[in-house]
Amino acid sequence: MATDHEIGHGRNITWTLRAKQAPEHIREAWIGTSWIVEMTADGTRDGKPFQATHLFLTSLRTTPEALLQLVRDRWSIEGWHWIRDTQLHEDAHRYRGNGAGVMATLRTAALNLLRLAGFRSIRAGLQAVMHDITALLAMARRKPQPDAC
């Protein structure tokens, strides 16, 4: 078992990972499986109660603390990708060669500009500037403020 506590960005969440060795019938059905894992998150997000439970199997042979960190790191990457796909429809694009890298860089710049402009919601930020070139250019000229955290 391993736990981690996160306070920041409107969240106050305790993450708990419980793992146990996979029983023989699971190790036979899924070759290489070593752990059955339950990951729970309890707390508040933006002042509202939050609870989530995820179950999975893994072939990694490591400590629960290291596994917890790996899962948290992976979810932070997936969270960023989820925004890119749901708001910018990145997975639907079929750019090839240099165009794919250029478009990914432009999307990253757009997301960062929206965050720097104070938008907590990417969707709201996109709606605020998509038909307002003046607002978009003002965001691009804005100087980043030191992070209060």
Side-chain angles (χ1 to χ4, degrees), residues 5-13 15 43-48 50 72 76 80 83 112 115-116 118-121 145-149:
H5 190 87
E6 172 188 11
I7 298 175
H9 303 286
R11 296 182 207 110
N12 184 353
I13 298 177
W15 298 86
T44 59
R45 192 165 59 181
D46 295 325
K48 298 175 187 165
F50 175 78
R72 297 281 320 278
S76 69
W80 184 244
I83 290 169
N112 284 321
R115 291 287 191 221
L116 286 172
F119 289 100
R120 288 183 52 96
S121 164
Q145 300 298 316
D147 194 2
C149 296

Side-chain angles (χ1 to χ4, degrees), residues 83-93 107:
I83 290 169
R84 294 174 73 98
D85 191 37
T86 60
Q87 301 305 310
L88 303 176
H89 307 289
E90 187 171 64
D91 287 349
H93 293 284
R107 284 188 210 99

Side-chain angles (χ1 to χ4, degrees), residues 1-6 13-19 35 37-42 52 54 56 58 60-76:
M1 186 168 155
T3 61
D4 189 19
H5 190 87
E6 172 188 11
I13 298 177
T14 299
W15 298 86
T16 304
L17 180 135
R18 294 183 331 156
W35 295 100
V37 180
E38 177 188 62
M39 180 81 151
T40 60
D42 289 300
H54 302 274
F56 55 95
T58 182
L60 294 175
R61 289 171 171 79
T62 187
T63 66
E65 292 81 11
L67 190 55
L68 173 63
Q69 188 60 51
L70 288 168
V71 171
R72 297 281 320 278
D73 291 347
R74 173 68 184 189
W75 284 350
S76 69

